[in-house]
Amino acid sequence: MKKINILKGVIIPLFLLLSFSCSDEFLNEQPKSFLIPESTFSDPAGLQTALDGAYLGVFSQWNGDTRELMFNSNMSDASVVSATDKPDAFVDLRVYATPTNSRNNDAGRARSFYADNYDHIKKANTVIDFIDIPEWEGGANNVERNHLLGSAYFLRAFFYMQLTMDFGNVAFPLNVVQGARRDFKAFNMQGIWDQMIVDLEYAVQHVKPKSQIPAGQAPKDAVRILLAKYYMLNLRFADAESLMDDVINGGESQLFTDDMIPSDVSEVEVANTVNPNTGNPLPGRSGFAPADAVNYLHMDKGAQKTSNPEGIWLVVNEPFILGTQGRSARIRAWGPNFVSTNLGVWEPGTTRTGTDVQQSTSDERGRMMKKWGRGQGFARPTNYSQYDIWNFKGKIDEQDYRHKDLNWFEMEDVLYDNPSLLEDGSEYYLEPLQLYDDNGNLTCQDTIRCWYGYPRYKFYSVNQESRPDRQDGGKMDMYIMRIAEAYLVRAEARLWQDDFAGAAEDINTIRQRANAIDMYTVADVQTDGIGAVLDERNRELFGEEYRHDELVRISVIFAKSGKMAYNGKTYSISGSDIEKSISADSFYYDRMMEKNTFFRDEVPWATYNTTKYTMDPMHVYWPVYQPYLVGNVDATLNQTTGYNGAEDNIEPLVHVVQPAGAPNEDPMRAIGE
């Protein structure tokens, strides 16, 4: 019988010390309880509990104001870290992206992407290791067994995708670590991908469709989308396209369009028109936007997201339901900070704060805060996200639902509401904010954090339970995968096969739903290449995708395939170590220098004059926090290429792929290490 010892504590009560005063036996650590797999996982419910823990790991990356999803976007062309009160943020990467930077909050999440993902993998490995402890009717042919096992494979592959896209060659446990282990070694990421493909191919066969499982669990179509991305890493583009055909034509999910909006719905609330605490009107324009397919799709009201046909896999987090997670706080994370810092928004011609920073549920104070939310500006869109992608074919597209008035927040929607302006008879009181005064001087010194537009329709939710005085985002359901992404993944797969017409068709399906002015022609896609897909992904999936990881994945494909990018460059892999090659020269870095002007132009902060955005090619991957490596004393566990400590790295191990359907053997032991 396997037993895992769990030490509950090392504090010994005084009476125990006295009773063992003549012996050293009291110094021996005694486990207070045992995890006995044969008991804990004797039925499917026990295994489901472990699997739910892994699911919670995904949800925790999305839910909350400074979580991993946000940081992943901030390390891409879409947005940047903009917590300008923390000079050691992941901004000046040459100085502060180091193995000793302990930041793990709005300023950077590299630590939790590494450590937490292994914790989540442990839970998936628990299901895989102990899948056959229950006595399944029919054994390995049992439908419930194979659904659980396939789901565990999917979640493990989900986290290993992140680890390899974020850190390169990494440790590769495929089993639950049941005792102290200090001999982990890094594995070549290619072998990791190969194993994940085998596992996901099993999962595609056995994971149930959306119609047969509870909302929040990942269905078969989610497995298909992840497997398609792994296939493309191995240049299996036709296989990836075929999987997306299955998702799009399978009938489990469907693109939500205007004609699906209920006939009695004419408008969707994207801001608080009335004080949610009192029901009284708030000053300024109405927060109701004319209903369209996009704002209704993202509307946070009731269980709309879990019931509409577009969602494939979601975070389920409804208010006032026992067992759901805490506040999503999406407005707080992604919204501009116009209500708290002294470098925020001033009354024109003065240095007096123009907006009311007082947090209150009353009608008299903090009215713009309650209307538009108390954003903290932790994730600022780049100019590429805010302006460039909406200027298509020489037209600024405000007809596109994703960028139309009210769906898209602009700073001028906010009014000066500081009560002191009223007391002094200021002409600006309850007038729209303005960035410059009459003399052309900035009224906002910290424009990085405090002045920008963003797709508010995605992030708005009334805060009903916690801190209703702030209205910075309450609990809300969130899409992790939806069918719009399947179209864009298929567009990418078609593009790699030089099917420019097919790629244009898929991109335009998304654009037509969004009521965009212009469509892509075949010539446009041929000219823009992968840029056409990336631009549309950003329009459609801003704040919903692991954007950094998508750019790195595409960089690997360019390097492995040798295909020319739209920038005229080709990339390659030298030797067998993909990490080293990508760290030296990558599409990711070139894309960042092209689209992310903060890093390209090394833009400085107004708050700390020595802090500026800097990046080098090595920053495609992130450093592993040094304390996570130093305890591995019986082997060398590699630091990411280019960072301090990487000079001691050893050749990553080559994994031998194991068949799916049964518990794994430890990879290091399987190759004789």
Side-chain angles (χ1 to χ4, degrees):
M1 178 180 292
K2 300 176 183 176
K3 294 184 179 180
I4 304 174
N5 295 345
I6 302 176
L7 183 66
K8 291 289 188 179
V10 295
I11 300 175
I12 310 299
L14 180 60
F15 74 90
L16 286 179
L17 290 177
L18 294 174
S19 66
F20 288 100
S21 59
C22 296
S23 170
D24 289 337
E25 291 181 5
F26 74 89
L27 295 175
N28 296 330
E29 295 179 349
Q30 296 294 324
K32 303 300 182 184
S33 65
F34 296 93
L35 172 63
I36 304 174
E38 287 82 354
S39 299
T40 305
F41 305 118
S42 61
D43 57 26
L47 291 170
Q48 184 65 54
T49 298
L51 191 68
D52 289 345
Y55 273 121
L56 185 60
V58 180
F59 299 164
S60 68
Q61 292 187 348
W62 284 68
N63 196 62
D65 64 350
T66 67
R67 300 310 306 182
E68 287 77 8
L69 177 74
M70 183 189 79
F71 177 67
N72 202 283
S73 178
N74 285 347
M75 291 291 101
S76 77
D77 55 356
S79 60
V80 292
V81 173
S82 49
T84 54
D85 56 340
K86 301 174 182 67
D88 60 343
F90 269 58
V91 166
D92 195 342
L93 300 185
R94 291 174 187 154
V95 177
Y96 293 114
T98 70
T100 56
N101 188 336
S102 62
R103 279 283 181 195
N104 201 48
N105 51 23
D106 51 305
R109 281 281 178 182
R111 279 182 59 192
S112 53
F113 256 115
Y114 188 87
D116 290 0
N117 276 3
Y118 279 114
D119 185 52
H120 308 328
I121 287 169
K122 176 183 68 178
K123 294 161 188 169
N125 283 343
T126 298
V127 178
I128 297 165
D129 276 3
F130 304 129
I131 190 65
D132 286 321
I133 288 180
E135 294 184 5
W136 300 100
E137 183 178 353
N141 295 319
N142 185 278
V143 172
E144 298 303 323
R145 171 196 185 272
N146 296 338
H147 169 73
L148 274 172
L149 182 58
S151 298
Y153 283 148
F154 167 77
L155 288 166
R156 184 167 70 177
F158 185 84
F159 294 121
Y160 271 124
M161 175 67 83
Q162 293 178 6
L163 285 167
T164 55
M165 295 302 101
D166 298 341
F167 303 97
N169 303 319
V170 293
F172 190 40
L174 289 177
N175 309 91
V176 178
V177 179
Q178 298 188 15
R181 178 119 182 239
R182 303 179 300 180
D183 65 343
F184 289 104
K185 293 182 180 179
F187 277 76
N188 189 299
M189 67 181 89
Q190 181 62 62
I192 298 176
W193 302 334
D194 292 342
Q195 181 67 61
M196 297 301 101
I197 286 173
V198 168
D199 293 347
L200 289 171
E201 287 174 338
Y202 176 95
V204 162
Q205 296 300 315
H206 296 288
V207 170
K208 296 178 181 180
K210 181 176 72 171
S211 58
Q212 297 180 21
I213 59 177
Q217 293 184 14
K220 187 185 295 287
D221 282 348
V223 181
R224 286 173 169 144
I225 290 174
L226 182 59
L227 178 55
K229 293 179 181 181
Y230 273 105
Y231 273 162
M232 288 192 284
L233 281 170
N234 274 7
L235 312 186
R236 295 173 60 178
F237 306 124
D239 290 335
E241 180 182 359
S242 178
L243 283 172
M244 295 304 94
D245 289 341
D246 292 340
V247 174
I248 292 167
N249 301 324
E252 284 287 316
S253 300
Q254 184 181 359
L255 203 68
F256 190 85
T257 56
D258 281 338
D259 58 2
M260 297 179 184
I261 300 172
S263 58
D264 60 342
V265 175
S266 61
E267 53 188 10
V268 170
E269 193 168 23
V270 296
N272 290 334
T273 300
V274 301
N275 183 341
N277 308 292
T278 67
N280 294 321
L282 292 167
R285 64 187 310 193
S286 168
F288 286 93
D292 60 61
V294 168
N295 63 24
Y296 188 87
L297 173 70
H298 290 275
M299 179 178 68
D300 185 59
K301 187 175 182 181
Q304 186 278 131
K305 291 179 185 173
T306 60
S307 61
N308 78 60
E310 176 144 344
I312 293 175
W313 183 27
L314 300 93
V315 177
V316 179
N317 192 32
E318 309 245 351
F320 301 111
I321 295 179
L322 185 64
T324 53
Q325 302 176 74
R327 281 191 305 132
S328 302
R330 305 270 278 169
I331 292 292
R332 174 176 159 83
W334 299 87
N337 185 342
F338 59 84
V339 289
S340 64
T341 76
N342 60 4
L343 295 181
V345 182
W346 295 336
E347 176 192 22
T350 75
T351 57
R352 174 166 52 179
T353 301
T355 54
D356 189 0
V357 302
Q358 179 66 50
Q359 301 171 40
S360 170
T361 59
S362 74
D363 292 323
E364 289 73 32
R365 301 304 305 268
R367 289 175 291 175
M368 290 297 100
M369 186 186 304
K370 283 190 282 290
K371 188 178 190 69
W372 302 107
R374 187 178 183 269
Q376 288 296 286
F378 296 145
R380 189 212 197 280
T382 58
N383 290 342
Y384 159 68
S385 295
Q386 190 176 357
Y387 304 115
D388 297 350
I389 58 173
W390 306 113
N391 188 354
F392 185 61
K393 297 191 175 184
K395 303 171 188 174
I396 298 176
D397 193 346
E398 294 184 343
Q399 173 180 298
D400 190 313
Y401 294 152
R402 300 164 299 186
H403 192 234
K404 81 173 189 181
D405 184 40
L406 267 182
N407 281 1
W408 185 273
F409 169 87
E410 297 286 3
M411 293 297 296
E412 291 80 5
D413 293 334
V414 183
L415 308 180
Y416 292 103
D417 70 335
N418 188 340
S420 67
L421 274 67
L422 174 63
E423 295 168 3
D424 294 344
S426 171
E427 63 180 301
Y428 296 102
Y429 184 68
L430 294 187
E431 291 296 318
L433 301 187
Q434 56 188 66
L435 184 56
Y436 296 95
D437 65 18
D438 294 341
N439 296 317
N441 299 311
L442 278 172
T443 64
C444 176
Q445 298 301 297
D446 188 3
T447 55
I448 289 175
R449 186 174 188 180
C450 305
W451 192 284
Y452 57 81
Y454 74 111
R456 182 184 167 83
Y457 67 90
K458 283 190 178 184
F459 304 118
Y460 168 71
S461 65
V462 179
N463 188 356
Q464 304 173 70
E465 295 179 84
S466 176
R467 298 308 305 262
D469 54 332
R470 289 182 170 182
Q471 289 306 311
D472 54 5
K475 292 179 179 178
M476 64 187 301
D477 299 332
M478 293 172 280
Y479 301 107
I480 303 174
M481 292 182 185
R482 50 189 177 91
I483 202 168
E485 184 179 11
Y487 281 95
L488 296 174
V489 171
R490 189 170 70 175
E492 179 191 342
R494 288 174 166 178
L495 185 73
W496 293 123
Q497 299 173 83
D498 296 330
D499 179 5
F500 304 115
E505 178 185 2
D506 282 334
I507 293 171
N508 288 338
T509 296
I510 303 303
R511 294 183 62 75
Q512 288 163 1
R513 187 269 290 276
N515 195 39
I517 295 175
D518 289 306
M519 299 295 119
Y520 278 85
T521 65
V522 174
D524 292 334
V525 174
Q526 189 165 8
T527 299
D528 294 351
I530 198 65
V533 176
L534 286 171
D535 289 354
E536 199 60 33
R537 284 190 71 99
N538 200 22
R539 296 182 189 103
E540 182 68 20
L541 300 174
F542 180 87
E544 295 182 67
E545 64 173 333
Y546 295 84
R547 180 74 175 189
H548 166 272
D549 297 358
E550 292 298 304
L551 293 179
V552 177
R553 181 180 58 78
I554 288 168
S555 299
V556 171
I557 296 169
F558 272 122
K560 290 181 69 175
S561 68
K563 283 181 169 288
M564 182 178 291
Y566 63 80
N567 59 14
K569 284 188 61 174
T570 57
Y571 305 87
S572 62
I573 304 295
S574 177
S576 61
D577 193 338
I578 298 172
E579 180 188 309
K580 286 185 178 179
S581 296
I582 299 295
S583 295
D585 184 32
S586 69
F587 172 76
Y588 167 86
Y589 178 75
D590 291 336
R591 175 83 177 179
M592 291 292 283
M593 292 300 101
E594 174 195 5
K595 300 297 186 183
N596 193 321
T597 55
F598 289 92
F599 281 109
R600 183 189 69 203
D601 300 339
E602 299 190 357
V603 174
W605 279 2
T607 50
Y608 294 93
N609 56 19
T610 60
T611 298
K612 59 183 179 180
Y613 293 87
T614 67
M615 172 179 283
D616 293 319
M618 62 178 272
H619 295 120
V620 59
Y621 296 117
W622 308 333
V624 178
Y625 186 46
Q626 185 174 325
Y628 298 150
L629 304 181
V630 296
N632 198 67
V633 296
D634 293 334
T636 298
L637 183 54
N638 290 357
Q639 178 58 261
T640 313
T641 297
Y643 297 95
N644 288 341
E647 63 276 6
D648 298 323
N649 284 357
I650 61 174
E651 189 74 17
L653 299 177
V654 177
H655 175 65
V656 177
V657 175
Q658 302 175 23
N664 295 114
E665 184 179 357
D666 179 86
M668 286 179 58
R669 295 190 178 93
I671 60 176
E673 284 289 322

